[in-house]
Each structure stands twice: as C-alpha cells, then as structure tokens.
Amino acid sequence: DSRNRRVRAAAAVAASATAVLLLIGVLWQGSGHGQSEPISNALSKLKISMPDNYPARIWVYGGSEVSRHNSNGGTAGPDGVGGLLRKDHYRTKVSYIPTTESGDFRAALWNPNCKVIVFPSMGEYPMLSERTKVDMRQYVDGGGNLVFVGSYMLQMWMNDLFGFKLNGVYGPGPYFINPRAVKNTPYMYLSAKLEEIGTTPLVGVTTDSLPAGEGKCVYGNNGICVAFYIESKLGTITYLADPMLDTSVYHDPQAAGWVGLLHASVKM
C-alpha cells in the first residue's frame, strides 16, 4: 500500500546516500591516471544509474485545457512538466494523455503498472463523464497516485472529483516544511524551506480546508498550504502549487527545491 511504498522509498534513499558517501571516498583516491573525476559529474551519473524508487514511467495529462503559455511568452504546459519530471531521471518514460475521455486515459487508469498520473495547471475546467470520475476514484483507492500541479481550476476539479472543500488562496512565501506530515514519506528529505519564485502567484489552500485526518500539509506558512497530500484507502491525491507557469524561473537556483518537490510527489 502507500505507506509501504513510503517506507521502501526511505530505505532506497538511505541506500543511495550511503552509495554517495562511498563514491565520494573513491573519488578522493583519484583515478588510475592520478586524477579524480569531478564529484558533480559522478553524482549526476549516480542519480541516473542507481534505483531510488522513482517511477520508470509517468503519465501526464496533455489535453486542450492545460495552460501552455504565460505572460513572458514561454511555453510551460505538459511538455514543460514532462521535462521537469525527467530531470536527472532520463530513463523515465513520460506518456501523454490527449483527453480525459480518450481510450488512453482509461487504459492508464486500468493499467496495473500505472502508478502515477500528473495533471499540469489548467486554464479551463475539464469535463468528465460520471463513469470517468468513478474510474479516477477507483484508481486512487486501488493504490494509484494523482498529482495535481496547481491552480484554482485544478482545486475546483479536485473538489468536484472527490467531494473536497478546498479553499484556494494566495499566500506569500517562504514556505516551511511540516516535519510531522512528511515523516516516512519521500518528502522527508526535502529542504526545510521553499522560497516563492517567479511572477505567477502561487495558489495554495487554507490548511483548515484540508480533509480532517487524511489531509497532510507538506509546505505552508501562516495557515496557507502550497503542497499537500490526501490519503484515500491505498492511494494518494497530491497537490503542489505551480511556480513553473512562469518559465523565466527555469534557470532560477531556487527552482531546484520546487523540482525536488515535484519529484517527491510522483514517488508517493
């Protein structure tokens, strides 16, 4: 179930950390030619080659409702999110779903190997048949992870799909991690603080609008939560605010923390 996956994730990360320390020790000894490979290069190779419980395949929704442009003229959307998901994980395959009512979407929901589906920020409300809504809820209850990279529109959609009462609101950063909520999850290895980046307001929710008991705030500040997860039987519904709509932040050093948050979310 989802809790066992988190324990396995913690063990995998611990093993990776041990391997990193061993690798650094080897590098200090130098190569056979008396020169050491740059540590940064070696660590990059290690991230790609060693298993760390990162999904081998991720499905991303790419329908016409997905936001693709921003005020700077850059392109975010499904391709941008797909690129971020594969950062340092280039062996991971990203599959795009064209519409919510397509055979590809239903096939993904029914595929036992489909562990996570990501929905980028949307500018329009996606329409779903009642049958598809049931399929999505059953997907989560059976152990799947739906990741919403968010906006007000996605929060409204989540409320409609799952009967939540999420109250969307903008809250300025910085945002601080909640140690109790992230214990024994992939989030527990993230930075203690995230900075607000870009010019696009980050849409979170009020913490008191999260479902009691099941809703866990990962990052927040002053009663506003910009990243959270909600447990539903064997699966998880995950949300994180989307600073990447403003593509000028792609080269901002602070963006690394948000990319790490996205990566941890797909491992839930």
Side-chain angles (χ1 to χ4, degrees):
D1 58 24
S2 60
R3 291 178 178 82
N4 287 335
R5 292 205 308 271
R6 290 169 198 151
V7 172
R8 290 196 299 270
V13 172
S16 297
T18 301
V20 168
L21 294 175
L22 292 172
L23 177 62
I24 291 174
V26 171
L27 292 176
W28 278 113
Q29 300 299 320
S31 67
H33 300 287
Q35 296 180 343
S36 297
E37 179 184 7
I39 290 179
S40 59
N41 291 349
L43 293 181
S44 295
K45 292 178 181 178
L46 192 64
K47 288 179 183 177
I48 295 172
S49 62
M50 289 194 64
D52 66 345
N53 207 41
Y54 199 76
R57 186 177 180 186
I58 300 172
W59 280 256
V60 175
Y61 181 67
S64 60
E65 305 92 345
V66 175
S67 302
R68 284 172 164 78
H69 300 283
N70 57 68
S71 58
N72 295 321
T75 300
D79 291 335
V81 171
L84 293 174
L85 287 168
R86 296 186 68 242
K87 184 175 177 60
D88 292 332
H89 296 280
Y90 299 111
R91 293 183 178 179
T92 292
K93 179 180 179 180
V94 175
S95 299
Y96 295 96
I97 300 169
T99 71
T100 53
E101 297 303 321
S102 69
D104 291 337
F105 187 41
R106 184 152 293 174
L109 293 172
W110 292 351
N111 185 344
N113 296 317
C114 177
K115 305 300 183 185
V116 56
I117 303 175
V118 179
F119 294 89
S121 291
M122 296 187 185
E124 299 177 20
Y125 196 84
M127 303 305 294
L128 294 177
S129 67
E130 290 302 316
R131 178 67 258 176
T132 302
K133 291 180 182 179
V134 171
D135 286 343
M136 293 181 72
R137 290 191 285 265
Q138 289 179 343
Y139 170 79
V140 175
D141 289 346
N145 179 18
L146 296 180
V147 178
F148 297 88
V149 186
S151 60
Y152 287 114
M153 194 69 66
L154 274 184
Q155 291 177 12
M156 292 170 57
W157 200 38
M158 294 167 69
N159 287 341
D160 182 35
L161 274 170
F162 301 104
F164 300 151
K165 297 181 179 179
L166 301 173
N167 179 26
V169 63
Y170 163 71
Y175 310 103
F176 301 93
I177 202 164
N178 180 353
R180 287 181 295 180
V182 303
K183 186 177 181 181
N184 295 329
T185 76
Y187 295 121
M188 67 185 293
Y189 299 98
L190 299 181
S191 59
K193 180 174 71 172
L194 284 180
E195 298 291 345
E196 185 177 8
I197 60 176
T199 58
T200 304
L202 300 182
V203 182
V205 301
T206 56
T207 53
D208 59 6
S209 70
L210 292 173
E214 293 84 10
K216 306 291 193 305
C217 181
V218 176
Y219 278 103
N221 189 10
N222 293 326
I224 306 298
C225 181
V226 295
F228 61 85
Y229 66 93
I230 299 169
E231 296 176 326
S232 179
K233 294 186 179 178
L234 300 178
T236 312
I237 302 153
T238 310
Y239 174 91
L240 57 148
D242 183 10
M244 299 300 178
L245 275 178
D246 179 359
T247 52
S248 65
V249 305
Y250 276 45
H251 303 292
D252 185 332
Q254 298 289 350
W258 291 93
V259 175
L261 174 62
L262 176 62
H263 287 188
S265 296
V266 300
K267 293 165 66 175
M268 286 292 288

